[in-house]
Amino acid sequence: MSRAEGPRVFTALRPYQGAAEKSPRRWAPGLGARVLAVLLMVVGPVRSFAEEEAPRRWALVVGENQGLPGEERLRFAETDAQRMREVLQDVGTVPPERTMALLGTDAAKLRDTLARFRERLAAEASPRDWLLLYVSSHAGDGSLHLRGTELPMRELVDFLKGAPVGVGLLILDSCRSGVATRLKGLKPVAMPVTMEASDLEGRVVISASGADEYAQESDALQGSFFTHHLMVGLRGAADASRDGRVTLEEAYRYAYARTLESTLVSPGGLQRPTFRMDLSGRGELILSEPQRARGRLTLDVKAPGRWLVLASESGALVAELEKGEGPTTLAVAPGAYRLLLRAEDGYLERSVRVPLDGAVSVGGEPLEQAARMRLARKGGAGESMLLAVGPSLTSGIVAGLSSSAGLDVRLLREGRLLPGVDTSGLGLAVRRGTGSGVAFQQTELELRLGAGPHWRFGAWTFSGALEAGVLAVFQSRIPDEDARFGLEPLALVTGGARLDVRSRLSMLLSASAGGVVAKRDLGTSLVPRASASLMVGYAL
């Protein structure tokens, strides 16, 4: 019985007025029973129909860092898969009991997992359900590279096509994974994508890169560019309609644009996600519902711009997004966060705490001026280059010359080299001094390389480094002697403090202590060495 038939049924049950006047007590109970029966007949199917309206969602996420022999080990493929599972469960309405994760696998193990998942879908899934299959790994020549083994991408597409669900979505975050979107049976889709899909039936394949492109990772994002932007989009950044839900079209549009921007000047080359589909139907395919998350953070600052959301305790980058006019709500875990909005003269900062099972909104209140931060392009997001110049004073290494002054020039790079080593630099100093006892002039040219950690506290950055280099010493105007020249090795321990004062300008104070192996008439000796510099820095 359809919903439209309801009013006609109740009209037909209206009693005959004459009978009602003669014996009201005889027909009332019978009429009530009949009305109740009809209500049950109408409401029951409607309720069942409503329950069938919402499709069940299934997910299988796969991550493997190790590829074939000779391929560089990935750093974040398994982490990306783990985070994708969390996002799908937090805001993608895919419950844990219908989610399977495979973190670390070879081709045989993945085939076995696909077979078991296929059996479960055959037993429990319905044609109204939809399935998401996410894979992050090495790939090439049309195959996934998994711990020294290969699995043709064709098998993933075949699994997706054979799954007993209405809609299947395959997301591949692998190098040259665009070949999967060239497989027969899928139609190319150019940007922009326009689709409607709640009664959809069909298949969609999204790859993080083109058929001849690299899928690139980022140190600062602690993951791949494409997966990070896709997950941030699913958390709410892609919600262009501001309705608290993110559709397939919105998620792909956002991830495509942000990946393209992030890799525009990347050493790994431009990365363009690709999209193929074979779909039919009407409605919208909702991938996530951020408004249903336990914790919600709304960026309600009118000015559009680039936002960074960092976990206060760990300092981990939770989201890096472009926000337009109007509010944007992100689904995040309850806890404390630092929010940074890029401005013309640096970053504006605000600290917030997202409550458990609640929401917080940021907007309207003045934001503090924060430390200037830069996100790098591919090859090391979080990198920055700084050129610093300023006066320098150092202790002497010969008798009669207690100190010399000059100019110090530093080129500093902030970006991860090794665990615990995220600052490196090249220094060049020119100093001159005049002897006090015996009149002579000494000119020093110092060249050194160094590396070490750094720590940020608001607008201040503190750093430490071990430095090594050479010191070229020229002595002239020596009474009754020719000019002298020496080339001496040196080693220093350096500490520095930097204060960001404007968008690209900063003040730096650096101090070093160590020793120089200096030549003497009777051999060589280790001479203590200390220096200090006050410089003005400019971010490149």
Side-chain angles (χ1 to χ4, degrees), residues 1-13 38 41-43 45-46:
M1 181 178 297
S2 68
R3 300 180 191 177
E5 293 173 337
R8 292 195 297 271
V9 171
F10 284 108
T11 301
L13 288 176
V38 173
M41 294 174 60
V42 174
V43 174
V46 169

Side-chain angles (χ1 to χ4, degrees), residues 132-143:
L132 185 147
L133 173 57
Y134 169 87
V135 179
S136 180
S137 69
H138 269 296
D141 300 324
S143 296

Side-chain angles (χ1 to χ4, degrees), residues 57-61 82 84-101 117 120 124:
R57 307 180 185 192
W58 304 79
L60 171 61
V61 296
Q82 172 67 22
M84 179 60 72
R85 176 175 66 178
E86 293 172 358
V87 169
L88 292 175
Q89 293 178 359
D90 290 345
V91 297
T93 65
V94 183
E97 62 270 18
R98 290 199 292 272
T99 304
M100 183 177 292
F117 201 53
R120 184 178 176 191
E124 302 179 27

Side-chain angles (χ1 to χ4, degrees), residues 175-212:
C175 293
R176 298 182 288 277
S177 56
V179 68
T181 64
R182 295 181 175 179
L183 299 176
K184 184 178 179 181
L186 296 171
K187 305 171 185 177
V189 178
M191 287 293 293
V193 179
T194 302
M195 67 182 70
E196 295 185 340
S198 88
D199 289 329
L200 266 179
E201 292 184 359
R203 300 297 182 261
V204 178
V205 175
I206 297 175
S207 67
S209 61
D212 300 312

Side-chain angles (χ1 to χ4, degrees), residues 295-315:
R296 297 178 302 282
L297 171 63
T298 298
L299 306 177
D300 197 13
V301 175
K302 292 184 178 180
R306 177 166 298 174
W307 284 80
L308 305 179
V309 181
L310 301 101
S312 295
E313 294 184 3
S314 65

